[in-house]
Amino acid sequence: MALEDVCGFKEKLFSTLEDTTTSVHDYCNLEWKGQETSEKIPHHFFMPHFSQTNFSISRTPSPFGPRDRSVTVRRPFPLSHGTTTLGFIFQGGVIAAADTRASAGGLVACPAVHKITPIHSHLVVTSSGSGADCMLWERILIREIRLYQLRHRRRLSIRGTAKLLSFMLHPFKGTNVCVALTLCGWDKEDGGPGCAKNSEDTSCKTDDSPSGVISSATHSLSPNCGPQLIYVCSDGARLQGEVFSVGSGSPYAYSVLDGSLSWDLSKKEAISLAREAVFRATHRDAYSGNNVDLFLVTAQGWSQRRREDLKEEYYRDMERKAQKQQSGTTQVMTCKK
Amino acid sequence: MISAQAFGDPGKMKDYHYTGPVEHRFSPYAYNGGTVLAVAGDDFAIVASDTRLSEGYSIHSRDSPKCYKLTDTTVLGCSGFHGDCLTLTKIIDARLKMYKHSNNKTMTSGAIAAMLSTILYSRRFFPYYVYNIIGGLDEEGKGAVYSFDPVGSYQRDTYKAGGSASAMLQPLLDNQIGFKNMEGVQHVPLTQEKAVQLVKDVFISAAERDVYTGDALRVCIITKEGLKEQTVPLRKD
């Protein structure tokens, strides 16, 4: 599909179809081919159309989204929302973790959704917000990154990917597209000028491949080398950071992470911390639950931990608490008479 | 006549005292009810739907099944707004034909699911009010079920219920097919006969408790030999 676009194959095929009946045109959503010249963004393959919303109001619709709220149609159904996802950077790479529940209103639409999607070998993205929006925008992002790679013979950096995604989402600002993605990845720029931020950090500059350890005292995250964590949202925010948690369960996850997160965690400790954060968030947040997915991104690429049902963890936790109480180390609150 | 107010937030009490004149906007949607169910086995898939078409307190038709045959190995079940169901199935049929003519092969179930997701998302800001479930056989001959939300988010499942009685049927399927919430039970794989019987029982229960489900049940069984259909009567009240 991506290769077809680079070769211009699709344009040639469908240009003949455009000359035929326009009713088939509208029916099968082939309009996107004809709008090639008028749309400023070339990524129109999956783009939803705005022109269909003026069924009753005689207003000229703007090409980039309904400006007036009253033109949009009220939906009679709820969409999937509600989640806990988190990502953080430590010395061993980037961890991305998420729960697996998709809720639509008060109903659990699906108890086993994949909220973490690999984009390429060194980038995974955690999604939260509306399920359909995230799924489709991830698909668009995969396609665009692949096209970039085919056209320019090198892989786009994580920061570049975040910028591209943010610019693609910008026309939909103000509509109810709800997408909040955290890009967790590893950049493999070898030995470029941007690789060393501090003057004392020469090890990164001279090595021809990042060994995964940025050996500077202040662990400065160089702009185009090593682990990256960037948050992109459909409101237009694009933030780089060391720890992010997104979704309705994020306050609970943040509190667990802030308590124990540090740069020097071992791989095992980091995984256990991420799991714990998601577990506590699913316990307290009604819209998060079921299982926890965990991905680790290193210089070698991403690896996935087996999906774990948190029901077992909850029972183990209850047992631990019961044992603690039995051994009498905790003082239960006394009632004042 | 159903107004847009009928589709208010779930759980909110509607006020019935006079609050002054309220402007009712024309709603392009209507809700026609109906339930769809799909189950995937090792070498078969079942798609079943009731055949009642209702709107508000009226029944428009007792013989309007919601399973649509797409190819020899794929059946689509759609419930929700009947007008959008009809248009969506027409669009899918046209796209299937186009694919067949361009690529000289029939679309596989997975490809149809991906295509349906993009068709639904192309109407992100004026969605098709349809809950879709695709049942069929994948390239290896195993059963596959793909369930969608109205704007195109989809997932491959083993079983899924959609439509008006979905919230009642899904927990029952979780228990009987997924063996969830049962301790110390042997997980036996589902045979075709047991699956068909389960589907019939489950719809009979749905017809008891959901007013929009009833009249008759249409079951489509997809195996590598082809498609078989059965019709079973349900409660007509």
Side-chain angles (χ1 to χ4, degrees), chain B residues 169-191:
Chain B
L169 296 184
Q170 191 65 31
L172 185 53
L173 294 178
D174 282 334
N175 183 272
Q176 291 295 306
I177 306 181
F179 301 104
K180 301 250 173 89
N181 308 315
M182 286 207 279
E183 300 288 330
V185 170
Q186 209 184 9
H187 288 10
V188 289
L190 202 60
T191 61

Side-chain angles (χ1 to χ4, degrees), chain A residues 296-309:
Chain A
L296 171 63
V297 188
T298 56
Q300 282 73 41
W302 60 262
S303 62
Q304 183 182 6
R305 194 166 164 274
R306 201 162 40 119
R307 172 175 276 194
E308 187 192 345
D309 191 345

Side-chain angles (χ1 to χ4, degrees), chain A residues 27 29 46 48-50 52 70 73-77 79-80 109 112 132-133 135-137 139 172 175-177, chain B residues 4 7 25 28-29 90-91 94 114 117-118 121-127 129 131 149-151 153-155 160:
Chain A
Y27 246 138
N29 289 324
F46 299 134
H49 285 296
F50 299 109
Q52 293 165 357
S70 62
V73 181
R74 237 183 79 200
R75 264 198 320 265
F77 46 77
L79 290 182
S80 326
D133 288 331
M135 186 178 283
L136 264 296
W137 282 102
R139 219 172 145 183
F172 297 92
T175 66
N176 60 2
V177 169
Chain B
F7 306 128
R25 290 204 53 199
Y29 295 117
K90 275 189 201 139
I91 290 181
S117 170
T118 52
Y121 198 77
S122 71
R123 290 275 296 258
R124 170 68 175 79
F125 298 104
F126 181 18
Y129 183 14
Y131 292 93
D149 81 346
V151 276
S153 159
Y154 78 107
Q155 175 103 1
K160 187 79 179 177

